[in-house]
Amino acid sequence: MTPDGDQREADLRYAWRALAVVGLAASLTSLNQNALNIALPVVVRHFDASSSQASQIIVVFAAISTAVMLGCGRASDIFGRKSMYVLGLAVFTTSSLVCGAAPNYETLMLGRVGQAVSHAMLLANGATIVTAAFPPDQLRRGIGGYTACFSVAGLLGPSVGGALATAFGWRWVFWFNVPVGLIALPAAIVLLRSSPRVRGRSLDPPGNGILLIAMGSLVLSLSQVSGSGRVDPAVSGGLALSLAAFAAFVLWERRARDPLLRLGLFKRLPFTMAVIAQFLNSLANFAVIVLVGLYFQAAKGQTPLEAGLAVLPLPAANAIASIAGPMLTRHLKARTVCVLGSSIGTAGLVLLLAATVSLSGFGPIAVALSLVGIGTGLFQPANIAAMLTGVAADELGATNALRLAIQNTANVLGTAVALMLLTSAVPAALRSAVVSGTVSDVGSAAVRDMRPGLALAFGVMAAMSALAIGASLAGRRVDDRAEAAEAERSAR
C-alpha cells in the first residue's frame, strides 16, 4: 500500500473512532431529554411543583441551550473543538449528578442550567468534529451515523425514562447519565484530535448577553401564563422585555465587528422560506411527546413506563421516515418532500386532537403519533437540504449554526406554549393534577375537564403545521422561478 493509502486508512480509522465518541455523547444528551419528557409528572409530584415550575423544568433547559449555542460555537473556534467538547462532557456528567441528588426544586434547576450549557457545547461541536474527521467521499456515512444516534435516542428515550422512573424512581432519570458520561469523557480525551484554533475572533459577550436576556424573559413569561391562567402585568412586562431584547440583539449583530449571527443569510429568499418552514414545523411538533405522555398518565392513569411505551409509535415512525426521506429526494424536489411531510404531520395532529378530546385509548393515538413521526421524519432532512443548497462552502458552518438556533428557539416556544395552553384552559384547581399526572385520581369529571386544554393545545399545533405547509409551498414556487430564470439565461 502506498503512503497515501496508509494515511487514508489511518484517517478513516480515526474518523470512525471520533464518530463513536461523538455519537455516544449525542445519544446520552438526547436520551436524557426524551426520558425526562415522560418522567416529568413523577418529578413534579416529588417536588410538589406548580404548573409553571413544571414547564420550566423542560423549557429552561432548551432556552438556555439555545441562547448560548452560538456562543459555544464561536468559543470552539477560539479555544478548539476538542477542549470545548471535553469540557461539555464533564459539565453534563456533573450536572446530571446534581439533578439526581437535588434536595429541592431550586437545586434541580441549577443542575438543569448546567445540563443546558453543556448540551450546547456538545451539540455545537458534534457535527463539526464528524465533518472534520471524515474525508469528503465518506462524509455522508459519517453524518448519517451521527444523526442516527439522535433517532435511536428518540426511540429509546421515552421507554427508558418510564422504566427508570417506575422501577427506581425519578432520580435515576438523571443518574443513568453519570456512568455513561464517565465512559465518554476519557474516551474523548484519548481519542479525539485537537483542532486548530482561529485567531482574531471575538466571543461577542454583548450579543450573548442580550440573547440570553431575550430567551430567558420569554420562557419565564410564558411559563407564568401556564401557572396563572391569565396574562398579568408581570407576564406582559416579561414579553415586552423579550421583544425589546430580540430587537436589540438584531441591531447589535448588524453593527458588531465579528457578529455571532450572520443576518446577511436572510437576503437569500429560498433560505428564508426554508427557515420559516423549519420554525413552524418545530413549533407544531416538538411538544407532542410531552403532551401525549401527560395525557396517558393524567387522563388514563398509566405509569411512566406504560406512557413511555405508548408514545413509541412517533419516534419509531420518525426513524423509518428519516431513512426513507433522502431516498424520496432522488425522485422528488426537496421542497415537495417538505410539503408532503408537513401535510402528513398536520393530519396526525388533527387526529391527535380528535382522539384526545374524545378520551380515546391507545389505537387511534398510535395511528396519530405514527403520522406525526412520518411527517417530521420526511420534513426535516428535506428542509435541511433545501436550506443549505446553494450556500457557499465558507458559509456552511454559520448557516448550520443559525439553523440549529432557530430550530431550538421553536422547540422552546412550542413546549412553553403547548403547556401554557393545556393548563390555562382547565379549571385552576386542576392544573397541578394535570402536570403531576394525577387527574384520573381526582375522578372522571376531572378527566373530562382536561378536554378543552387538549383541544386548544393540539388545535394551535395543527394550525402551525398547516402554516408550515404554506411556507414550503411558497419556497417551492421561489425555487421554480429561480430555475426558470436560470434556464432562460442559459438559453440566450
Side-chain angles (χ1 to χ4, degrees):
M1 185 176 291
T2 65
D4 288 345
D6 289 339
Q7 184 60 47
R8 177 178 170 80
E9 287 297 320
D11 288 343
L12 276 176
R13 286 195 297 271
Y14 166 72
W16 289 109
R17 289 197 300 269
L19 177 60
V21 173
V22 172
L24 180 61
S27 300
L28 173 67
T29 55
S30 182
L31 192 67
N32 177 253
Q33 192 60 21
N34 282 284
L36 183 58
N37 286 341
I38 287 297
L40 179 63
V42 184
V43 180
V44 170
R45 288 198 296 271
H46 177 85
F47 290 111
D48 193 22
S50 66
S51 57
S52 62
Q53 289 174 324
S55 175
Q56 289 166 14
I57 292 172
I58 298 294
V59 298
V60 164
F61 171 91
I64 293 177
S65 179
T66 301
V68 303
M69 188 171 296
L70 292 173
C72 287
R74 178 62 56 81
S76 300
D77 291 337
I78 297 172
F79 301 112
R81 288 189 290 267
K82 177 179 178 178
S83 299
M84 289 296 294
Y85 207 80
V86 168
L87 179 61
L89 276 170
V91 174
F92 190 85
T93 303
T94 304
S95 300
S96 298
L97 186 64
V98 171
C99 286
N104 50 48
Y105 174 81
E106 291 73 20
T107 306
L108 173 68
M109 293 307 297
L110 178 64
R112 290 291 284 161
V113 169
Q115 283 190 321
V117 174
S118 55
H119 175 260
M121 293 179 185
L122 296 171
L123 193 60
N125 285 283
T128 56
I129 289 174
V130 173
T131 301
F134 278 86
D137 63 320
Q138 296 290 321
L139 182 56
R140 180 176 293 183
R141 295 176 64 192
I143 292 296
Y146 178 64
T147 55
C149 294
F150 292 98
S151 297
V152 171
L155 183 62
L156 296 178
S159 54
V160 168
L164 289 171
T166 301
F168 304 108
W170 68 268
R171 296 186 187 276
W172 281 98
V173 174
F174 297 102
W175 279 344
F176 87 92
N177 299 324
V178 176
V180 181
L182 291 177
I183 294 171
L185 182 59
I189 294 171
V190 173
L191 297 178
L192 293 182
R193 294 174 182 172
S194 297
S195 61
R197 301 182 181 186
V198 179
R199 306 295 179 184
R201 303 299 299 273
S202 167
L203 283 175
D204 191 13
N208 278 292
I210 296 170
L211 186 58
L212 187 60
I213 291 171
M215 292 297 298
S217 55
L218 176 64
V219 167
L220 290 175
S221 300
L222 291 175
S223 66
Q224 288 305 311
V225 175
S226 175
S228 64
R230 58 188 175 87
V231 180
D232 57 30
V235 172
S236 301
L239 292 174
L241 174 61
S242 177
L243 289 174
F246 275 119
F249 176 72
V250 171
L251 291 173
W252 172 261
E253 292 300 294
R254 291 180 63 182
R255 299 182 179 185
R257 181 183 62 84
D258 193 13
L260 282 175
L261 188 62
R262 301 183 67 173
L263 297 173
L265 292 169
F266 288 101
K267 294 179 180 178
R268 295 181 58 252
L269 188 56
F271 171 81
T272 301
M273 296 311 301
V275 165
I276 294 172
Q278 174 76 71
F279 184 85
L280 291 169
N281 188 272
S282 297
L283 195 67
N285 292 293
F286 188 75
V288 168
I289 285 183
V290 176
L291 291 188
V292 176
L294 279 173
Y295 169 81
F296 277 119
Q297 293 177 75
K300 296 298 182 180
Q302 294 187 353
T303 66
L305 175 58
E306 291 169 333
L309 293 173
V311 301
L312 277 180
L314 192 157
N318 180 272
I320 294 170
S322 296
I323 297 171
M327 298 178 186
L328 278 178
T329 56
R330 298 175 186 172
H331 308 285
L332 300 173
K333 293 181 179 180
R335 305 273 190 184
T336 302
V337 177
C338 291
V339 172
L340 177 63
S342 292
S343 300
I344 294 172
T346 302
L349 289 169
V350 172
L351 183 54
L352 269 179
L353 188 160
T356 54
V357 169
S358 62
L359 301 177
S360 299
F362 175 72
I365 291 178
V367 174
L369 289 174
S370 298
L371 290 174
V372 173
I374 291 170
T376 54
L378 291 176
F379 174 86
Q380 291 290 351
N383 195 66
I384 291 171
M387 191 182 299
L388 299 183
T389 297
V391 176
D394 61 349
E395 291 185 338
L396 280 174
T399 306
N400 190 57
L402 177 58
R403 177 188 70 81
L404 285 170
I406 290 171
Q407 179 176 319
N408 286 350
T409 300
N411 293 345
V412 172
L413 286 174
T415 304
V417 170
L419 290 172
M420 176 193 74
L421 294 173
L422 173 64
T423 55
S424 62
V426 302
L430 196 60
R431 288 177 194 139
S432 61
V434 171
V435 295
S436 63
T438 58
V439 176
S440 61
D441 295 338
V442 179
S444 57
V447 171
R448 289 193 295 272
D449 285 340
M450 279 186 66
R451 292 185 296 182
L454 291 166
L456 185 58
F458 283 119
V460 170
M461 291 160 71
M464 293 299 102
S465 188
L467 290 175
I469 300 173
S472 294
L473 283 170
R476 190 172 66 175
R477 286 195 291 270
V478 169
D479 288 347
D480 290 343
R481 287 198 296 267
E483 290 176 4
E486 181 62 29
E488 184 179 344
R489 283 193 297 269
S490 300
R492 291 175 181 174

